[in-house]
């Protein structure tokens, strides 16, 4: 549970929201693409900072939209904020 202000989206609000996130490794999801990309990076065919050579654990689905009042009594709704389901992409 975090305050809306702590989310870093530019809103000033003391209201709190539940923020669920994804984490973990995705070694089981490594495919031929990932292996080839890793090889190209090691041979300096692709600059390392340009690509990630392994699958990432990311949200596949999100919780319902989050609505709140800011410090100036304006009402906002933010979508795709909290992870509902995670997977390797």
């Amino acid at each position: 549970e975090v305050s809306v202000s702590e989310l870093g989206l530019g809103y000033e609000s003391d209201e709190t929201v539940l923020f669920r996130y994804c984490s973990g490794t995705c070694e089981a999801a490594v495919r031929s693409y990932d292996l080839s990309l890793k090889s190209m990076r090691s041979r300096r065919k692709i600059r390392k900072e340009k690509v990630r050579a392994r699958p990432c654990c990311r949200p596949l689905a999100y919780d319902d939209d989050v609505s709140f009042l800011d410090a100036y009594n304006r009402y906002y709704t933010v979508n795709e904020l909290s992870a509902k389901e995670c997977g390797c992409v």
Side-chain angles (χ1 to χ4, degrees):
E1 211 171 277
V2 298
S3 75
V4 170
S5 297
E6 292 174 308
L7 293 171
L9 299 175
Y11 302 108
E12 290 183 46
S13 177
D14 292 330
E15 289 197 39
T16 59
V17 296
L18 184 59
F19 181 74
R20 293 186 178 124
Y21 58 93
C22 301
S23 66
T25 61
C26 293
E27 296 305 319
V30 172
R31 306 247 190 313
S32 299
Y33 167 84
D34 304 299
L35 297 173
S36 295
L37 187 57
K38 185 176 181 180
S39 175
M40 292 294 150
R41 282 181 56 193
S42 69
R43 296 167 193 244
R44 299 180 189 257
K45 299 285 185 185
I46 299 172
R47 291 176 50 191
K48 288 186 178 187
E49 64 271 7
K50 296 276 185 181
V51 295
R52 174 171 268 183
R54 61 180 173 258
C56 303
C57 186
R58 299 279 300 165
L60 300 177
Y62 294 90
D63 283 335
D64 293 338
D65 294 349
V66 174
S67 298
F68 60 91
L69 281 174
D70 72 0
Y72 308 101
N73 288 325
R74 289 180 293 212
Y75 187 74
Y76 291 96
T77 299
V78 178
N79 58 10
E80 296 185 342
L81 177 67
S82 187
K84 182 176 186 176
E85 180 184 343
C86 299
C88 296
V89 294

